[in-house]
Amino acid sequence: MLERIRIVLIGTSHPGNIGATARAMHNMGLADLALVAPRCEVITADSVSRASGADALVHDARVVDSLEQAVTDCTLVVGASARSRTLPWPMITPRELGERLPAELATPEARIALVFGREDSGLSNAELQRCHAHVHIPTNPDFSSLNLAAAVQVLAYECRLAWLAQTQTQTQNKPGPAKDDEEEAQPLASHEELEHYFAHLERALITIGFHDPAKPRQLMARLRRVTLRSRPERMELNILRGILSATEKAAGGQALGARGSEPELQREHDTHPGQKPAQD
């Protein structure tokens, strides 16, 4: 289970924090580290020193340009957030995260990414909107700032506790009868598949005149939230994309985005008659 959990650091500015993160991961049995657009050199005397023997993780860390590249194969993406947001997202504690891991990693294809932001500003709203859920460490409100590696240590510890509990349960329980094919767990949609779906959804909504990208009013953010909250399986996502394709065809096969200037696009689609537009 632990080998399918990835730690993702975005925009890290100090190599010592990369090394300390590697140490925290190795302490708890995690080994998959991805660095998104680091703002410092990755392999330095400071990062190796702070790794304290876990420098192999620093040398093996995958460096990519975007969050999408770091989590493209992941079926659950959880962003660490210390701030409240204008558009609320599913929020869990580190303990709740740990409790979810066995079920989330029940299939061999499943991968989990735990995403941490910049030391000075954390994760952006756009980055958090690409996460299925947010995790918040309940620190002392009078002194809530956590060092990056300390935050990684807390979540990695909860992951290890969940793994130890699962290992103990598997040792104590004998294997049960094989499940029927229809009871087999189905693979969840990956981050890459979800991003393709969201792009397809936005194109289809523009095509039928429901969405005006010039006046988005958080429509796509809200649709992201409800979709990510539902955790669709790959087959379910394929069905939804089939519906979108059929909708585009029924709309007359117009070029995607061609109706973006029509007058009906000016109405507010995310409000009901008599309801004031949302302010978030």
Side-chain angles (χ1 to χ4, degrees):
M1 183 175 78
L2 295 178
E3 67 185 11
R4 288 186 283 145
I5 299 174
R6 180 176 304 148
I7 299 296
V8 179
L9 306 184
I10 297 181
T12 311
S13 61
H14 196 290
N17 286 329
I18 296 174
T21 293
R23 177 180 182 178
M25 291 173 59
H26 199 32
N27 283 155
M28 298 299 144
L30 304 182
D32 190 352
L33 175 61
L35 306 174
V36 177
R39 296 177 289 172
C40 63
E41 291 294 327
V42 174
I43 302 173
T44 68
D46 201 6
S47 63
V48 171
S49 174
R50 291 285 299 278
S52 299
D55 49 287
L57 272 68
V58 178
H59 287 276
D60 293 342
R62 187 160 58 102
V63 180
V64 296
D65 295 326
S66 68
L67 175 59
E68 284 73 18
Q69 290 175 297
V71 302
T72 185
D73 60 336
C74 294
T75 50
L76 177 67
V77 181
V78 180
S81 176
R83 305 197 303 268
S84 60
R85 303 290 168 160
T86 57
L87 184 60
W89 223 256
M91 182 74 76
I92 58 177
T93 66
R95 185 60 47 88
E96 290 169 337
L97 170 65
E99 291 170 348
R100 287 177 56 170
L101 293 183
E104 294 288 350
L105 294 170
T107 60
E109 300 90 350
R111 297 287 185 278
I112 291 177
L114 305 181
V115 184
F116 299 82
R118 305 153 190 81
E119 295 98 328
D120 52 354
S121 59
L123 295 170
S124 69
N125 286 337
E127 289 160 350
L128 284 167
Q129 287 177 7
R130 279 157 175 73
C131 300
H132 294 90
H134 303 164
V135 62
H136 172 66
I137 299 172
T139 53
N140 175 8
D142 295 328
F143 191 67
S144 60
S145 178
L146 271 177
N147 172 267
L148 176 59
V152 172
Q153 185 78 77
V154 170
L155 298 193
Y157 170 71
E158 293 295 341
C159 292
R160 185 164 187 83
L161 284 186
W163 173 75
L164 290 172
Q166 183 187 45
T167 302
Q168 184 178 14
T169 300
Q170 291 173 342
T171 301
Q172 293 174 346
N173 297 337
K174 294 181 180 180
K179 294 182 179 179
D180 295 334
D181 289 342
E182 63 269 21
E183 295 178 339
E184 292 286 342
Q186 298 298 314
L188 296 174
S190 70
H191 176 85
E192 181 179 29
E193 291 164 338
L194 284 164
E195 288 303 312
H196 287 314
Y197 165 72
F198 289 131
H200 192 175
L201 175 61
E202 184 168 19
R203 292 196 304 267
L205 293 178
I206 294 172
T207 296
I208 64 175
F210 188 83
H211 173 47
D212 180 4
K215 295 182 179 180
R217 297 198 57 78
Q218 295 204 10
L219 173 64
M220 292 309 302
R222 291 180 184 278
L223 291 174
R224 272 182 174 275
R225 180 173 61 174
V226 69
T227 303
L228 293 175
R229 189 168 58 216
S230 69
R231 309 299 312 288
E233 296 172 354
R234 182 173 297 152
M235 178 65 73
E236 294 170 335
L237 207 65
N238 288 339
I239 293 172
L240 292 174
R241 293 201 65 180
I243 294 172
L244 292 177
S245 296
T247 300
E248 291 171 329
K249 184 177 180 181
Q254 300 182 46
L256 297 181
R259 296 175 63 190
S261 61
E262 293 188 4
E264 59 266 29
L265 284 183
Q266 303 307 315
R267 65 182 181 271
E268 299 296 347
H269 301 296
D270 57 346
T271 59
H272 298 290
Q275 177 185 356
K276 293 182 178 180
Q279 298 301 313
D280 38 321

